[in-house]
Amino acid sequence: MNRKIIRKIEEQITRELLLTSNDAGWNCIGYDYGDGFESNTDYESIVSMCLNVDDLYLIFQSPDKTKKAWARLVYGNDGFDLINDYTCTPGFEQLVMDKMTEYTENIEDKMFA
C-alpha cells in the first residue's frame, strides 16, 4: 500500500482513538515514547507527538480518576494495525477499545468507498 495512504490511516486512527476515549470519559493524560511519562492533555500536541515517533504509549485516566489504562501505537506498518496492544482495564476496554477494534477493521472500506 502507498506510504501516504498508510500515514493517513495512522493519523485517522490516532485522532479517532483520542476522540473515542474522550467521549467515553477516559481522557488522555499523556504519553511515553521511551523516555518516561510526559504529562500532556492538549489534543493537537498529542497527535503531533504521535505522528513524529515510531511508537509510543498513550496513557488514559478513568472518569472517576481511580484507574489508568494505556494503548501502544506502532507507526509505519500497514496503518490499520496501528494499535499494537492495550490494557484490559474494565471500562476502558469496553467503552474505548471495542469501538476502536470495529473502527480499525472497517477503516479501509470507509476510506475507499
Side-chain angles (χ1 to χ4, degrees):
M1 187 182 305
N2 181 308
R3 184 68 204 136
K4 287 182 182 181
I5 293 172
I6 291 171
R7 192 60 170 176
K8 184 66 176 167
I9 291 170
E10 290 173 341
E11 182 178 351
Q12 285 186 288
I13 291 172
T14 300
R15 289 182 183 281
E16 186 66 23
L17 174 58
L18 291 168
L19 291 172
T20 300
S21 64
N22 188 54
D23 288 349
W26 283 82
N27 296 316
C28 184
I29 59 171
Y31 44 78
D32 183 345
Y33 58 95
D35 289 338
F37 176 75
E38 291 196 28
S39 179
N40 191 336
T41 57
D42 178 65
Y43 177 85
E44 285 304 322
S45 99
I46 292 170
V47 170
S48 178
M49 173 55 75
C50 289
L51 298 175
N52 285 298
V53 297
D54 293 330
D55 72 288
L56 82 162
Y57 290 85
L58 291 178
I59 314 300
F60 302 89
Q61 189 170 46
S62 65
D64 64 3
K65 299 185 182 351
T66 62
K67 296 181 265 183
K68 290 192 174 51
W70 55 262
R72 182 178 184 212
L73 309 181
V74 178
Y75 293 85
N77 294 314
D78 291 326
F80 65 87
D81 59 351
L82 173 68
I83 300 172
N84 177 267
D85 199 7
Y86 58 88
T87 55
C88 295
T89 305
F92 182 75
E93 186 174 19
Q94 295 80 9
L95 296 172
V96 179
M97 296 316 299
D98 286 351
K99 290 179 181 177
M100 288 308 301
T101 298
E102 181 180 336
Y103 182 83
T104 57
E105 287 174 351
N106 298 305
I107 191 165
E108 288 184 60
D109 294 337
K110 293 175 188 173
M111 285 187 70
F112 302 115

